[in-house]
Amino acid sequence: MGMGASRTRRPTIVDVAERAGVSKSTAARALAGSSNITEETRERVVKAAAAVGYERNHLAVGMRSGRSGMLGLVIPDIANPFWADVARGAQDRAARAGASLLVFSSDWDPKAEATHLQTLRRARVDGAIVNPVSDSFDDLDRFGMPCVFIGSSAERYPDVSSVGSDITQAVRLGLDHLVSKGHKAPALILGPKSRLARARFLRAVHEHFVERDLDPGVLAIEDGEYTVEGGREAMKRLLAQPRVGHLAVFAANDMMALGAMMAVRDAGLDCPRDVSILGFDGIPSGEFAWPGLTTVAKPGRDIGERAVEGLFDEIEHKPEHRRIYMPCRLIERGSLADLSVTTPRRVAGAGRN
């Protein structure tokens, strides 16, 4: 312990100053990053603080500066690896700036979301990143703090900074790949009709079909929750419908796609010999499925990082208030049969590397 400190109390700035041989105010300014301190003095103070085990009282600092050094993140489903990836990106970017991140999962419940936002306000966070689970808000001022939106609902609020995937680019990427494999009219497994994400996905599909002079009305569509079980049940309903030839399915997220693969196995069928499945999100578990899940991967971690950067701009009162669309990429594994060749073939070992 340093001079003046004891084992029965926490070290103070006075202990640091005594050990470094400087005044209390000089020690405080050195640890606060003041530019009026020489590097030699700053280094001596930092070493003294480490030696006595001193930690700054961030609550007191925040009360003086009006900043807490804490940010909030409210996502709809922490159990979904995609949202966990978003949270990881946000946490990493916040940490690089010396900020802490409080993460909440609303479980797609507007009431839970409201409770989490209230908790963040009480915690006096500097700002929050929110994926709204409701597609409409009566009063945006209810956030009561600087905020950045992520997710589909953000498009309804052009005056709020937001970050998200380029869904139109992503859907076109997936459909173009399906066409290249000989799947011209895939069935769709989409989310609930109440969600804007479903409308955006379906709109992109319709535009793609019209551009190819095809009728989007011929597409088989089943809705479900954005979960494994939701995809499984939707796939069961698709399999119960009359069909001729090979069935290809484009699912609105990977969790649903993995559930669809389970339903195919439950029915005694084979993926991709009997049914081809394309996912959407790029979660890690798709790589370990059998066969490996071909998917359109969204940049979850990058979305989290960019959202934090946008939030810092909001906090500093210098936002551009714009929607940032981040491109997606295709990950090809083994869940799609190639009907463009004479005999549909299966990719041996796909998804196992």
Side-chain angles (χ1 to χ4, degrees):
M1 302 296 289
M3 297 170 58
S6 74
R7 295 182 183 277
T8 60
R9 67 174 178 84
R10 296 181 61 178
T12 68
I13 192 67
V14 174
D15 300 322
V16 176
E18 289 180 355
R19 187 175 183 92
V22 299
S23 68
K24 174 184 173 182
S25 61
T26 297
R29 282 183 288 138
L31 293 176
S34 173
S35 60
N36 296 325
I37 301 294
T38 67
E39 284 304 314
E40 186 272 333
T41 299
R42 191 189 317 279
E43 183 177 351
R44 191 162 75 248
V45 171
V46 169
K47 287 182 178 179
V52 302
Y54 173 77
E55 294 183 356
R56 296 178 73 199
N57 186 332
H58 290 283
L59 179 59
V61 172
M63 291 177 67
R64 291 193 295 269
S65 67
R67 302 279 176 80
S68 67
M70 295 187 296
L71 308 176
L73 173 65
V74 183
I75 52 179
D77 185 6
I78 194 65
N80 185 323
F82 169 74
W83 290 111
D85 209 31
V86 171
R88 179 57 186 268
Q91 175 182 281
D92 289 349
R93 181 62 185 88
R96 290 201 299 272
S100 299
L101 188 71
L102 304 179
V103 182
F104 293 86
S105 178
S106 67
D107 296 324
W108 300 102
D109 182 352
K111 291 184 179 178
E113 177 184 83
T115 298
H116 296 328
L117 290 171
Q118 184 179 51
T119 299
L120 290 173
R121 285 193 294 269
R122 289 173 176 171
R124 302 181 66 84
V125 297
D126 297 327
I129 299 164
V130 184
N131 183 102
V133 298
S134 175
D135 285 332
S136 63
F137 293 106
D138 295 330
D139 184 7
L140 276 175
D141 291 336
R142 75 184 180 85
F143 285 98
M145 68 188 89
C147 67
V148 169
F149 283 174
I150 52 177
S152 300
S153 297
E155 291 191 353
R156 296 189 185 273
Y157 305 97
D159 293 332
V160 179
S161 298
S162 59
V163 183
S165 305
D166 188 338
I167 300 300
T168 299
Q169 175 262 343
V171 171
R172 288 174 176 270
L173 182 63
L175 291 173
D176 285 342
H177 185 67
L178 285 166
V179 171
S180 74
K181 297 294 184 182
H183 307 287
K184 297 181 179 180
L188 305 176
I189 294 180
L190 304 178
K193 289 184 173 66
S194 60
R195 298 295 301 163
L196 180 60
R198 180 189 187 278
R200 292 176 63 205
F201 192 104
L202 192 55
R203 181 173 66 240
V205 172
H206 281 201
E207 290 173 354
H208 188 274
F209 267 67
V210 170
E211 289 174 5
R212 292 164 50 220
D213 292 325
L214 297 175
D215 179 10
V218 304
L219 297 174
I221 300 174
E222 287 293 338
D223 300 332
E225 297 297 326
Y226 289 114
T227 62
V228 170
E229 192 57 32
R232 190 175 192 172
E233 292 302 315
M235 187 73 235
K236 287 180 180 179
R237 294 192 294 273
L238 282 174
L239 292 175
Q241 298 176 17
R243 69 180 188 278
V244 177
H246 191 88
L247 174 63
V249 176
F250 192 178
N253 80 356
D254 282 350
M255 301 281 279
M256 301 174 92
L258 292 173
M261 293 175 72
M262 295 170 64
V264 169
R265 287 195 296 270
D266 291 343
L269 301 174
D270 180 84
C271 175
R273 185 187 63 218
D274 303 306
V275 180
S276 292
I277 298 175
L278 174 64
F280 192 58
D281 270 355
I283 65 176
S285 51
E287 182 177 0
F288 304 109
W290 183 252
L293 178 65
T294 295
T295 185
V296 179
K298 295 192 289 188
R301 191 164 299 196
D302 291 341
I303 289 173
E305 290 198 8
R306 291 294 294 273
V308 169
E309 291 170 2
L311 186 56
F312 286 147
D313 286 342
E314 289 281 346
I315 293 168
E316 296 293 336
H317 304 292
K318 54 180 182 181
E320 295 184 40
H321 291 310
R322 62 192 177 96
R323 172 74 169 173
I324 298 175
Y325 292 96
M326 306 197 71
C328 303
R329 63 190 179 92
L330 183 83
I331 300 178
E332 187 171 6
R333 297 191 180 109
S335 61
L336 297 181
D338 189 350
L339 304 185
S340 66
V341 296
T342 304
T343 303
R345 62 185 176 84
R346 192 170 180 177
V347 183
R352 291 288 188 175
N353 52 1

